[in-house]
Amino acid sequence: MKAQRGHAALLTSTALLLVGTLLLPGQAEAGPRRHREAALHGGTGQGDTGHGAMLPDPADLEPGDGARAAMSRLVAEPGSVLDAYAPTSGGGGGLWPDAGPGPMLAATGDALPTGSVSTGRAGAAGPVAPAAAPVASPAGPDPLAYGPASPDLPLLDATTLQHAIEAWVGPEPLRGLRSIPAAVADEKRFDARAAVRDFYAARGFAPLWIVDGGFDGAARSALARIDHAAEDGLDLRATPVTVPHGGDPAALATAELSLTEAVVDYARQASGGRVDPARIGPSVAVRPEVAGPAKVLAALRDAADAGEALRGFNPPHRGYLLLRAKLAEMRRGADMAERGPIPAGPALKPGMTDARVPLVRARFGLDIAAAGGDGLVYDTRVASAVADYQRAHGLPASGVLTARTVASLSGGQPKRLEDEIIANMERWRWLPRDLGARYVAVNIPDYSLDVFEGDRLVHHARVVVGKPDHETPVFSETMKFIIVNPYWNVPLSIVNKEMMPKLAANPNYFEDHGYEVVQRNGETYVRQPPGDSNALGRIKFMFPNKFSVYLHDTNARSYFGREDRALSHGCVRVDQPFKLAEAVLGRDRGWSEARVESMVGGAERTVNLPRPVQVHMNYFTAFVDETGQLRLRDDIYGYSAKVRAALGLVG
């Protein structure tokens, strides 16, 4: 825009110069030369008043044919006229070249006497010509009216944007009304908008997205990512973006704020702010680091690609990305799934062929092309997906496509599976973005434990988790040491609910079952000494937490053979515990499975980990396995149903 105004000003100046110059050739040949020489040398040629002023003859002001032609050319071809006065290559830094006469004199073809005027070079000066008397404007239209008109685009100035932001933020609400959900929501909304206001205030209320009356490249990149928010299971319908199409500054301010609000909302949802985990249950103790407005806007302001920076607020974890890809795959197959219910027919077992199989594949997002042929074979991959579905929906998990399974699948199941995937993607947002170089991940509904180095799986084991009325909590902590030959300090809740009634019936209950009663700081505790009958087994893995929950061996190893393993009081019992010890202590640090197991027997022994290991207690009822297949698990604590409800995915 500055360039446009500068171009117009240059045309204006050129027009005036040409008018002043080209009017002169319309006079008698002797007249103009005599007048110019008198002006340059201070002489008193014809018309000299004796005071150095020169009054032209009125007839001299009539424009000649040359002047009219030049003016017509200026209007029709302004660029070619300006080119005649452009600096030559190698010229100085000013508008005109350092050497040679000025443009007006060059246009007349008259050379100046040597040393009569300044050449324009730094430090070079000559006698200055006396000022000529003002010359009356020629009759007729203003020559500037013929210049090319280019009205400025509307600008979004700082004052207009500041007023719009202040109105958008509004007055501060009453605080302290924590028992009123609407009041709490008002507080959060005000605080978020106030943070946006502070961000803009720090930059002098300069627009972040609007340039020359429209969205700039960063804005368009961010808007493209917002348009694809559903790919990450996000819902931005509450923050629509107003795209500017010219308009006045107030309209541009509205567009600026609408995009700012949308990107802040996207990042808030993507980083875990859509569902408060505390609302799911008291045993869900994760607290995601939700991105605040200032962090979001600063990140996008400094990013080379604002859209990719915005996308980066989503989880980077492989498990999340696999679910995201599976969601897209299922949506691509939704057109087939929505053709109608799966027809009734005979029960299908692996190896059988049936025309309904492609419909079943579409329900689970299985690629028909990958099956080969026409996709009519009910193969083991389809049967496995059916078994997972049956298990998650209270049906016998046989993998056989029974009449009950067909009836269940025909009830809008693709949408239900999408919702379940989105609910699990949401729970990935609760995890730290950095899981650790080496970490332990327990998936409670899958009854499994995995040890990873980066994305590489180094150990897998079955686990037993808490009963539905004794949930294993969901949280992340740091494992710092292990204990071999551990004591079991019986939780007070177990003593009161389970042991005291037995003690009332048998005063020797503790002694008969090998428990010790100890006094510590005026408190009475019950503990079980190390040994084969110890409930913790021979080793436990410690990551101090407020739930007093940890990983440990068990003396009831038969439980690992069960399919449903929600059987403990909340702690996680681990199969193959000494292999886990090797994985977390590090074979490269000299800690083999055999070495750890050789420590069994005798007194309690503590081994500090050479390097701390992160432990993540997760709750995923849907995940993609190493073969790319979607796996479903029972919602044993009801957490997934609560997340779906909080996301508005129920109904």
Side-chain angles (χ1 to χ4, degrees), residues 573-591:
R573 305 174 188 178
V574 183
D575 195 15
Q576 306 177 71
F578 293 104
K579 285 188 177 181
L580 174 60
E582 177 184 297
V584 298
L585 287 169
R587 192 177 184 89
D588 59 331
R589 304 296 179 97
W591 287 101

Side-chain angles (χ1 to χ4, degrees), residues 68-113:
R68 292 190 181 93
M71 288 301 298
S72 298
R73 185 180 175 210
L74 175 64
V75 173
E77 302 177 86
S80 63
V81 176
L82 291 177
D83 288 343
Y85 302 101
T88 58
S89 60
L95 182 61
W96 310 113
D98 286 342
M104 185 171 74
L105 296 176
T108 65
D110 295 317
L112 288 175

Side-chain angles (χ1 to χ4, degrees), residues 506-515:
N506 176 14
N508 296 320
Y509 173 80
F510 288 143
E511 293 179 6
D512 292 346
H513 291 82
Y515 292 103

